[in-house]
C-alpha cells in the first residue's frame, strides 16, 4: 500500500531530532523508501489547499537514512515528479543570507522567517549510485538547506527560537498571521 500523509511524523516526535545514517548500498529497499517518501508527500499535498509539498527527508516518514526527495516543479501542483538525492552534502555556501518564509510537513501550519544562504553547491548520489553535483539558488537553495538540516536532526524552528517576530501560523484562508511570541513559547510542540 502506498504511504499517505498519516505516515509523516510531526513534532514533538523525538525522532525528528535524530541524525540519519548514510546510505551504503542502494538496495531495492532504499529505492522503495524513496517511492514511499514521494507518495506520502503527494498525499499530503492533495490534502492542502494553500501549500505545495516540495520536499521531504526520509526521517519524516520515520526512516533514519540520508535521503531527500525534491519536487521538479516547485510551484505547479500538477507536476508530480520528484528527484531523489542520496547522501546529499552541501559542498559550498555562497551568496548572501536571505530571510524568507519556510514551512515543514512535520510542523503543521507553522511558518517561520528563516535566514539561509541564497546560493549553495551540493553533491549527492542518484538512485543508480552515480555521484552528481548541482548548484542551487533562491528557493531551491533554501529547500536543500532545510532538508539537509533534517538529516542532521535539525528542524527549521531551531533557527528562529530566539527571534520574537519570526513565527507565523497559516490560517484557513491561506494567509500567514504573525504569532505572538509568548504564545509560541507556551506551545508545547514549538517549545518542548
Ligand atoms: Ni521539513
Amino acid at each position: 500500500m502506498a504511504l499517505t500523509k498519516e505516515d509523516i511524523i510531526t513534532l514533538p516526535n523525538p525522532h525528528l531530532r535524530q541524525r540519519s545514517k548514510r546510505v551504503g548500498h542502494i538496495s531495492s529497499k532504499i529505492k522503495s523508501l524513496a517511492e514511499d517518501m514521494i507518495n506520502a508527500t503527494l498525499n499530503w499535498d492533495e490534502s492542502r489547499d494553500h501549500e505545495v509539498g516540495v520536499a521531504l527527508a526520509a526521517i519524516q516518514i520515520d526512516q533514519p537514512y540520508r535521503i531527500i526527495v525534491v519536487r521538479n516543479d516547485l510551484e505547479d501542483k500538477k507536476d508530480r515528479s520528484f528527484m531523489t538525492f542520496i547522501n546529499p552534502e552541501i559542498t559550498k555556501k555562497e551568496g548572501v543570507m536571505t530571510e524568507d518564509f519556510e514551512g515543514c510537513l512535520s510542523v503543521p501550519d507553522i511558518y517561520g522567517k528563516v535566514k539561509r544562504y541564497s546560493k549553495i553547491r551540493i553533491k549527492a548520489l542518484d538512485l543508480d549510485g552515480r555521484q552528481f553535483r548541482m548548484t542551487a539558488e533562491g528557493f531551491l537553495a533554501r529547500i536543500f538547506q532545510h532538508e539537509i538540516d533534517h538529516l542532521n536532526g535539525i528542524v527549521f524552528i531551531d533557527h528562529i527560537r530566539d527571534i520574537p517576530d519570526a513565527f507565523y501560523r497559516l490560517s484557513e484562508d491561506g494567509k500567514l498571521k504573525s504569532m505572538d511570541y509568548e504564545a509560541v513559547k507556551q506551545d508545547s510542540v514549538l517549545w518542548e
Side-chain angles (χ1 to χ4, degrees):
M1 273 242 308
L3 259 62
T4 70
K5 62 180 190 295
E6 310 301 333
D7 296 296
I8 296 173
I9 63 171
T10 57
L11 285 181
N13 188 322
H15 294 181
L16 289 164
R17 307 294 185 178
Q18 278 179 12
R19 195 179 161 81
S20 296
K21 297 177 280 218
R22 282 183 77 80
V23 174
H25 173 58
I26 300 172
S27 59
S28 56
K29 186 186 146 211
I30 291 295
K31 288 179 185 175
S32 68
L33 173 53
E35 276 303 305
D36 286 344
M37 292 163 67
I38 293 167
N39 286 329
T41 306
L42 286 170
N43 182 254
W44 180 92
D45 185 272
E46 284 157 14
S47 74
R48 309 293 287 192
D49 291 334
H50 306 289
E51 296 164 288
V52 183
V54 290
L56 200 79
I59 192 60
Q60 294 180 270
I61 56 164
D62 216 6
Q63 297 288 329
Y65 296 98
R66 302 186 81 83
I67 305 170
I68 65 175
V69 295
V70 179
R71 206 157 180 143
N72 285 316
D73 189 320
L74 302 175
E75 274 144 38
D76 182 4
K77 278 170 92 83
K78 291 196 290 293
D79 186 332
R80 295 164 65 89
S81 66
F82 283 74
M83 193 166 166
T84 300
F85 300 79
I86 294 168
N87 299 333
E89 279 175 48
I90 296 174
T91 57
K92 199 169 182 190
K93 294 169 175 169
E94 296 176 86
V96 290
M97 297 298 280
T98 309
E99 195 179 68
D100 206 347
F101 287 112
E102 203 167 302
C104 180
L105 279 63
S106 295
V107 195
D109 298 323
I110 303 297
Y111 279 74
K113 271 190 180 168
V114 185
K115 277 188 180 152
R116 300 284 190 185
Y117 290 91
S118 62
K119 184 177 178 184
I120 56 159
R121 292 168 198 252
I122 65 155
K123 68 173 182 184
L125 302 177
D126 66 17
L127 280 170
D128 297 315
R130 283 186 292 250
Q131 192 187 88
F132 64 99
R133 289 169 188 273
M134 232 176 102
T135 300
E137 291 184 67
F139 187 39
L140 185 60
R142 175 171 297 277
I143 290 169
F144 280 120
Q145 289 166 87
H146 177 116
E147 298 307 327
I148 291 170
D149 268 357
H150 273 305
L151 306 184
N152 297 321
I154 298 165
V155 181
F156 80 93
I157 58 168
D158 301 342
H159 292 294
I160 56 174
R161 235 170 247 285
D162 301 326
I163 308 173
D165 57 357
F167 288 84
Y168 289 74
R169 187 181 287 281
L170 185 72
S171 62
E172 276 179 28
D173 59 359
K175 294 203 172 72
L176 292 176
K177 302 238 164 80
S178 182
M179 281 181 83
D180 177 63
Y181 195 44
E182 290 310 310
V184 171
K185 286 194 204 169
Q186 276 155 29
D187 190 311
S188 59
V189 169
L190 299 176
W191 215 269
E192 79 267 27

